[in-house]
PDB file of all heavy atoms in Angstrom:
ATOM      1  N   ARG F  66       4.057  -4.023   4.856  1.00 96.00           N
ATOM      2  CA  ARG F  66       5.323  -4.730   5.107  1.00 96.00           C
ATOM      3  C   ARG F  66       6.274  -4.582   3.916  1.00 96.00           C
ATOM      4  O   ARG F  66       7.471  -4.366   4.093  1.00 96.00           O
ATOM      5  CB  ARG F  66       5.063  -6.216   5.374  1.00 96.00           C
ATOM      6  CG  ARG F  66       4.290  -6.500   6.629  1.00 96.00           C
ATOM      7  CD  ARG F  66       5.125  -6.422   7.879  1.00 96.00           C
ATOM      8  NE  ARG F  66       6.096  -7.514   7.845  1.00 96.00           N
ATOM      9  CZ  ARG F  66       7.367  -7.408   8.249  1.00 96.00           C
ATOM     10  NH1 ARG F  66       7.818  -6.292   8.727  1.00 96.00           N
ATOM     11  NH2 ARG F  66       8.181  -8.434   8.178  1.00 96.00           N
ATOM     12  N   ARG F  67       5.747  -4.673   2.689  1.00 97.00           N
ATOM     13  CA  ARG F  67       6.590  -4.513   1.496  1.00 97.00           C
ATOM     14  C   ARG F  67       7.184  -3.119   1.411  1.00 97.00           C
ATOM     15  O   ARG F  67       8.210  -2.922   0.763  1.00 97.00           O
ATOM     16  CB  ARG F  67       5.789  -4.795   0.230  1.00 97.00           C
ATOM     17  CG  ARG F  67       5.485  -6.262   0.063  1.00 97.00           C
ATOM     18  CD  ARG F  67       5.071  -6.525  -1.316  1.00 97.00           C
ATOM     19  NE  ARG F  67       6.162  -7.322  -1.900  1.00 97.00           N
ATOM     20  CZ  ARG F  67       6.230  -7.674  -3.146  1.00 97.00           C
ATOM     21  NH1 ARG F  67       5.290  -7.295  -3.976  1.00 97.00           N
ATOM     22  NH2 ARG F  67       7.209  -8.398  -3.584  1.00 97.00           N
ATOM     23  N   LEU F  68       6.537  -2.179   2.036  1.00 95.00           N
ATOM     24  CA  LEU F  68       7.048  -0.807   2.048  1.00 95.00           C
ATOM     25  C   LEU F  68       8.046  -0.581   3.182  1.00 95.00           C
ATOM     26  O   LEU F  68       8.506   0.532   3.400  1.00 95.00           O
ATOM     27  CB  LEU F  68       5.888   0.188   2.155  1.00 95.00           C
ATOM     28  CG  LEU F  68       4.990   0.231   0.916  1.00 95.00           C
ATOM     29  CD1 LEU F  68       3.735   1.031   1.196  1.00 95.00           C
ATOM     30  CD2 LEU F  68       5.750   0.811  -0.265  1.00 95.00           C
ATOM     31  N   GLY F  69       8.364  -1.650   3.900  1.00 95.00           N
ATOM     32  CA  GLY F  69       9.414  -1.587   4.909  1.00 95.00           C
ATOM     33  C   GLY F  69       8.959  -1.410   6.342  1.00 95.00           C
ATOM     34  O   GLY F  69       9.791  -1.223   7.227  1.00 95.00           O
ATOM     35  N   LEU F  70       7.671  -1.467   6.594  1.00 95.00           N
ATOM     36  CA  LEU F  70       7.201  -1.308   7.963  1.00 95.00           C
ATOM     37  C   LEU F  70       7.369  -2.603   8.739  1.00 95.00           C
ATOM     38  O   LEU F  70       7.270  -3.699   8.170  1.00 95.00           O
ATOM     39  CB  LEU F  70       5.725  -0.891   7.982  1.00 95.00           C
ATOM     40  CG  LEU F  70       5.467   0.593   7.786  1.00 95.00           C
ATOM     41  CD1 LEU F  70       5.728   1.002   6.362  1.00 95.00           C
ATOM     42  CD2 LEU F  70       4.060   0.922   8.173  1.00 95.00           C
ATOM     43  N   ARG F  71       7.615  -2.457  10.030  1.00 95.00           N
ATOM     44  CA  ARG F  71       7.694  -3.630  10.900  1.00 95.00           C
ATOM     45  C   ARG F  71       6.289  -4.225  11.054  1.00 95.00           C
ATOM     46  O   ARG F  71       5.298  -3.556  10.777  1.00 95.00           O
ATOM     47  CB  ARG F  71       8.224  -3.232  12.282  1.00 95.00           C
ATOM     48  CG  ARG F  71       9.652  -2.721  12.269  1.00 95.00           C
ATOM     49  CD  ARG F  71      10.171  -2.470  13.694  1.00 95.00           C
ATOM     50  NE  ARG F  71       9.184  -1.893  14.577  1.00 95.00           N
ATOM     51  CZ  ARG F  71       9.132  -0.614  14.929  1.00 95.00           C
ATOM     52  NH1 ARG F  71      10.003   0.252  14.451  1.00 95.00           N
ATOM     53  NH2 ARG F  71       8.192  -0.176  15.753  1.00 95.00           N
ATOM     54  N   VAL F  72       6.221  -5.451  11.531  1.00 96.00           N
ATOM     55  CA  VAL F  72       4.932  -6.132  11.695  1.00 96.00           C
ATOM     56  C   VAL F  72       4.006  -5.331  12.598  1.00 96.00           C
ATOM     57  O   VAL F  72       2.832  -5.119  12.273  1.00 96.00           O
ATOM     58  CB  VAL F  72       5.123  -7.564  12.243  1.00 96.00           C
ATOM     59  CG1 VAL F  72       3.795  -8.203  12.591  1.00 96.00           C
ATOM     60  CG2 VAL F  72       5.876  -8.422  11.253  1.00 96.00           C
ATOM     61  N   ASP F  73       4.523  -4.861  13.738  1.00 96.00           N
ATOM     62  CA  ASP F  73       3.658  -4.123  14.669  1.00 96.00           C
ATOM     63  C   ASP F  73       3.163  -2.825  14.049  1.00 96.00           C
ATOM     64  O   ASP F  73       2.014  -2.437  14.232  1.00 96.00           O
ATOM     65  CB  ASP F  73       4.370  -3.868  15.999  1.00 96.00           C
ATOM     66  CG  ASP F  73       5.613  -2.990  15.861  1.00 96.00           C
ATOM     67  OD1 ASP F  73       6.441  -3.264  14.971  1.00 96.00           O
ATOM     68  OD2 ASP F  73       5.756  -2.032  16.648  1.00 96.00           O
ATOM     69  N   GLU F  74       4.005  -2.150  13.273  1.00 96.00           N
ATOM     70  CA  GLU F  74       3.584  -0.919  12.604  1.00 96.00           C
ATOM     71  C   GLU F  74       2.516  -1.212  11.551  1.00 96.00           C
ATOM     72  O   GLU F  74       1.531  -0.484  11.433  1.00 96.00           O
ATOM     73  CB  GLU F  74       4.772  -0.246  11.921  1.00 96.00           C
ATOM     74  CG  GLU F  74       5.801   0.320  12.870  1.00 96.00           C
ATOM     75  CD  GLU F  74       7.040   0.803  12.142  1.00 96.00           C
ATOM     76  OE1 GLU F  74       7.509   0.130  11.206  1.00 96.00           O
ATOM     77  OE2 GLU F  74       7.538   1.874  12.521  1.00 96.00           O
ATOM     78  N   ALA F  75       2.733  -2.279  10.786  1.00 96.00           N
ATOM     79  CA  ALA F  75       1.783  -2.644   9.739  1.00 96.00           C
ATOM     80  C   ALA F  75       0.422  -2.997  10.335  1.00 96.00           C
ATOM     81  O   ALA F  75      -0.620  -2.581   9.815  1.00 96.00           O
ATOM     82  CB  ALA F  75       2.326  -3.810   8.915  1.00 96.00           C
ATOM     83  N   LYS F  76       0.423  -3.710  11.437  1.00 96.00           N
ATOM     84  CA  LYS F  76      -0.840  -4.064  12.090  1.00 96.00           C
ATOM     85  C   LYS F  76      -1.543  -2.825  12.626  1.00 96.00           C
ATOM     86  O   LYS F  76      -2.759  -2.680  12.508  1.00 96.00           O
ATOM     87  CB  LYS F  76      -0.598  -5.065  13.224  1.00 96.00           C
ATOM     88  CG  LYS F  76      -0.265  -6.447  12.732  1.00 96.00           C
ATOM     89  CD  LYS F  76      -0.041  -7.398  13.887  1.00 96.00           C
ATOM     90  CE  LYS F  76       0.262  -8.796  13.394  1.00 96.00           C
ATOM     91  NZ  LYS F  76       0.477  -9.729  14.514  1.00 96.00           N
ATOM     92  N   ARG F  77      -0.776  -1.916  13.224  1.00 96.00           N
ATOM     93  CA  ARG F  77      -1.355  -0.687  13.745  1.00 96.00           C
ATOM     94  C   ARG F  77      -1.922   0.158  12.603  1.00 96.00           C
ATOM     95  O   ARG F  77      -3.021   0.702  12.698  1.00 96.00           O
ATOM     96  CB  ARG F  77      -0.294   0.090  14.535  1.00 96.00           C
ATOM     97  CG  ARG F  77      -0.848   1.077  15.498  1.00 96.00           C
ATOM     98  CD  ARG F  77       0.161   1.624  16.491  1.00 96.00           C
ATOM     99  NE  ARG F  77       1.296   2.291  15.858  1.00 96.00           N
ATOM    100  CZ  ARG F  77       2.542   1.799  15.815  1.00 96.00           C
ATOM    101  NH1 ARG F  77       2.816   0.639  16.381  1.00 96.00           N
ATOM    102  NH2 ARG F  77       3.509   2.458  15.226  1.00 96.00           N
ATOM    103  N   GLY F  78      -1.183   0.246  11.508  1.00 96.00           N
ATOM    104  CA  GLY F  78      -1.659   0.996  10.348  1.00 96.00           C
ATOM    105  C   GLY F  78      -2.916   0.393   9.759  1.00 96.00           C
ATOM    106  O   GLY F  78      -3.861   1.109   9.409  1.00 96.00           O
ATOM    107  N   ALA F  79      -2.953  -0.927   9.652  1.00 95.00           N
ATOM    108  CA  ALA F  79      -4.137  -1.600   9.115  1.00 95.00           C
ATOM    109  C   ALA F  79      -5.344  -1.361  10.015  1.00 95.00           C
ATOM    110  O   ALA F  79      -6.465  -1.172   9.526  1.00 95.00           O
ATOM    111  CB  ALA F  79      -3.868  -3.091   8.959  1.00 95.00           C
ATOM    112  N   ALA F  80      -5.132  -1.331  11.320  1.00 94.00           N
ATOM    113  CA  ALA F  80      -6.233  -1.094  12.256  1.00 94.00           C
ATOM    114  C   ALA F  80      -6.801   0.311  12.106  1.00 94.00           C
ATOM    115  O   ALA F  80      -7.979   0.544  12.385  1.00 94.00           O
ATOM    116  CB  ALA F  80      -5.766  -1.327  13.689  1.00 94.00           C
ATOM    117  N   MET F  81      -5.977   1.243  11.642  1.00 95.00           N
ATOM    118  CA  MET F  81      -6.449   2.615  11.435  1.00 95.00           C
ATOM    119  C   MET F  81      -7.529   2.675  10.356  1.00 95.00           C
ATOM    120  O   MET F  81      -8.298   3.625  10.299  1.00 95.00           O
ATOM    121  CB  MET F  81      -5.289   3.524  11.026  1.00 95.00           C
ATOM    122  CG  MET F  81      -4.290   3.769  12.102  1.00 95.00           C
ATOM    123  SD  MET F  81      -2.933   4.767  11.436  1.00 95.00           S
ATOM    124  CE  MET F  81      -1.854   4.827  12.854  1.00 95.00           C
ATOM    125  N   CYS F  82      -7.579   1.669   9.514  1.00 93.00           N
ATOM    126  CA  CYS F  82      -8.506   1.650   8.375  1.00 93.00           C
ATOM    127  C   CYS F  82      -9.823   0.955   8.694  1.00 93.00           C
ATOM    128  O   CYS F  82     -10.649   0.754   7.795  1.00 93.00           O
ATOM    129  CB  CYS F  82      -7.846   0.948   7.189  1.00 93.00           C
ATOM    130  SG  CYS F  82      -6.283   1.683   6.699  1.00 93.00           S
ATOM    131  N   ASP F  83     -10.042   0.593   9.934  1.00 91.00           N
ATOM    132  CA  ASP F  83     -11.247  -0.158  10.302  1.00 91.00           C
ATOM    133  C   ASP F  83     -12.543   0.567   9.958  1.00 91.00           C
ATOM    134  O   ASP F  83     -13.553  -0.063   9.690  1.00 91.00           O
ATOM    135  CB  ASP F  83     -11.236  -0.503  11.790  1.00 91.00           C
ATOM    136  CG  ASP F  83     -10.276  -1.634  12.115  1.00 91.00           C
ATOM    137  OD1 ASP F  83      -9.760  -2.276  11.176  1.00 91.00           O
ATOM    138  OD2 ASP F  83     -10.033  -1.862  13.315  1.00 91.00           O
TER     139      ASP F  83
END
Side-chain angles (χ1 to χ4, degrees):
R66 295 281 293 141
R67 288 196 112 186
L68 292 169
L70 277 72
R71 295 186 321 258
V72 172
D73 63 312
E74 292 172 319
K76 287 180 179 180
R77 201 167 59 252
M81 291 176 183
C82 304
D83 285 350

